[in-house]
Amino acid sequence: MIKDKFADAVATPPPADGEADIGAINEILGFHIRLAHGACLRHFTETFTDLDLTQKQVSVLWLVDDHPGIAQTDLAQRLRMDRATTMAIINRLQAKHFLRRDRSDKDGRKQALFLEPAGVAMLARAKQAIGEHEAWVKSRFSDKEVKLLIDLLSRIHE
Amino acid sequence: MIKDKFADAVATPPPADGEADIGAINEILGFHIRLAHGACLRHFTETFTDLDLTQKQVSVLWLVDDHPGIAQTDLAQRLRMDRATTMAIINRLQAKHFLRRDRSDKDGRKQALFLEPAGVAMLARAKQAIGEHEAWVKSRFSDKEVKLLIDLLSRIHE
DNA sequence: CGGGAATTGTAAGTCTTGCTAACAAATAGG
DNA sequence: CCTATTTGTTAGCAAGACTTACAATTCCCG
């Protein structure tokens, strides 16, 4: 019942000459990106209610696991976040004892991030949940289409 | 400098056997959707700093213009929001005198939404800004690819 | 070598979005 | 007529993104 789509809410009165301006909102690429992202986020959140993790938090765990000792700034760049936002996320993960900050030896300004055992365990569960989530998203596409979609999206975020 | 991408932040130590679990994070479709959305949102926000409007606000103005007298619930369905979130957005737009609420004649529970003159004017400016924003997004694609991408994304949000 | 510039992390505060829970008013349906 | 549903509303909470400011560290040029 969340998807009756266009039950033309109202008598959709004469747009006069209307629509001539820029086209319908459904032709706006950005509009579809936002809706698709919203749908993804909703499903992700459902999938992760038990684990109590957000997309960003999982991404951070994942990257810290892939790059032990990574600095907050590097994380921020990879996930396109600013330092302040990164702080907030790291703080939450640290509060849950999923990772720790070690002052870097080589550069006293940097914090080297490492997963704690609890973080390793949680990431394992998270990757499994991501598998389910991905299956849900990909169920609409052929393997070829998935590759294509990733290629197209990559051009947007570089 | 926001896009140096993979300046391998850290010595990317041996992942042991690693990567065998579920694949690299870059192969996760949801990950690319989030990054693409983030990039879009950032550019949108820049484009709209002068107008001081968010994506959601523009979408609402647009839909109210397309469907004068639309109810908040209908708006919520079309933009996949809940009632409470819709309230907050409508409140902000009403505070700026971009639209008004009229109690519906036919159904006393519903609020019929209409653009105020200031809203019509703002929407006109917004559509122009969206044109620029869309041009930025679409500059990476051929017309054919844009159509394809919209089709693929539509399958996700239905 | 010294000192200003840049980098990195941190803290505090704001705004938007998204959610839940609870409640009131209106309508729908038996 | 009475109950269930729909719709709007309010209040409160959390996450994310952003700004500004500040301290510590490192870089680099003169």
Side-chain angles (χ1 to χ4, degrees):
Chain A
M1 62 152 59
I2 221 172
K3 52 175 61 174
D4 72 325
K5 246 201 243 194
F6 287 137
D8 57 356
V10 77
T12 306
D17 60 317
E19 310 293 337
D21 18 35
I22 198 186
I25 197 172
N26 302 79
E27 289 164 23
I28 302 298
L29 178 51
F31 185 68
H32 291 277
I33 293 176
R34 280 160 236 154
L35 286 185
H37 172 255
C40 255
L41 179 55
R42 254 185 314 274
H43 184 272
F44 185 102
T45 305
E46 271 179 45
T47 308
F48 277 79
T49 37
D50 293 342
L51 299 189
D52 196 36
L53 286 176
T54 66
Q55 287 181 341
K56 280 285 150 88
Q57 287 166 8
V58 173
S59 298
V60 167
L61 287 181
W62 193 312
L63 285 180
V64 172
D65 185 53
D66 275 359
H67 308 281
I70 193 174
Q72 292 180 192
T73 301
D74 294 319
L75 257 186
Q77 279 176 216
R78 285 171 194 257
L79 298 177
R80 315 299 195 273
M81 307 184 294
D82 60 42
R83 283 173 296 156
T85 304
T86 306
M87 273 291 304
I89 294 171
I90 302 278
N91 283 344
R92 278 174 216 124
L93 291 173
Q94 194 179 32
K96 291 180 180 176
H97 307 291
F98 289 162
L99 52 72
R100 69 175 191 281
R101 294 168 154 104
D102 279 356
R103 201 104 226 167
S104 169
D105 304 330
K106 307 171 188 172
D107 191 333
R109 294 167 300 183
K110 293 186 179 179
Q111 295 280 29
L113 301 175
F114 297 93
L115 288 193
E116 296 277 22
V120 174
M122 183 52 88
L123 180 58
R125 296 180 61 193
K127 285 195 177 183
Q128 201 172 337
I130 287 209
E132 293 174 32
H133 172 63
E134 279 288 292
W136 172 83
V137 182
K138 289 179 177 168
S139 67
R140 306 157 171 69
F141 307 113
S142 68
D143 288 357
K144 205 170 174 181
E145 285 170 331
V146 169
K147 275 193 171 58
L148 182 56
L149 185 48
I150 288 183
D151 170 59
L152 294 173
L153 291 173
S154 296
R155 289 193 222 166
I156 296 178
H157 69 255
E158 251 96 320
Chain B
M1 62 152 60
I2 221 172
K3 53 176 61 176
D4 74 324
K5 250 206 254 193
F6 287 137
D8 59 355
V10 77
T12 307
D17 60 319
E19 311 292 338
D21 19 36
I22 198 186
I25 198 171
N26 301 79
E27 289 163 23
I28 302 298
L29 179 51
F31 185 68
H32 290 278
I33 293 176
R34 281 160 236 154
L35 285 184
H37 172 255
C40 253
L41 179 55
R42 251 182 319 272
H43 184 271
F44 186 103
T45 305
E46 271 178 46
T47 308
F48 277 78
T49 38
D50 292 343
L51 300 188
D52 196 35
L53 285 175
T54 65
Q55 287 181 342
K56 279 284 148 90
Q57 287 166 7
V58 172
S59 297
V60 167
L61 286 181
W62 193 312
L63 284 180
V64 172
D65 185 53
D66 275 359
H67 308 282
I70 194 174
Q72 291 180 192
T73 300
D74 293 319
L75 257 186
Q77 280 176 216
R78 285 171 195 257
L79 297 177
R80 313 302 195 271
M81 308 183 294
D82 61 40
R83 284 173 296 157
T85 304
T86 307
M87 274 293 304
I89 295 170
I90 302 277
N91 282 344
R92 278 175 214 123
L93 291 172
Q94 194 179 32
K96 291 180 181 177
H97 308 291
F98 289 161
L99 51 72
R100 69 176 191 280
R101 293 167 154 105
D102 279 358
R103 202 102 224 169
S104 169
D105 304 331
K106 307 172 187 171
D107 190 334
R109 294 168 300 183
K110 292 186 180 179
Q111 294 280 30
L113 301 175
F114 297 94
L115 289 192
E116 296 276 23
V120 174
M122 183 52 87
L123 180 58
R125 295 180 62 193
K127 285 195 177 183
Q128 200 171 337
I130 287 208
E132 293 175 33
H133 172 63
E134 278 287 292
W136 172 83
V137 182
K138 289 179 178 169
S139 66
R140 307 156 169 69
F141 307 113
S142 68
D143 289 357
K144 205 171 175 181
E145 287 171 330
V146 170
K147 275 194 171 60
L148 181 56
L149 185 49
I150 288 183
D151 170 60
L152 294 173
L153 292 173
S154 295
R155 289 192 223 167
I156 296 178
H157 69 255
E158 252 97 319

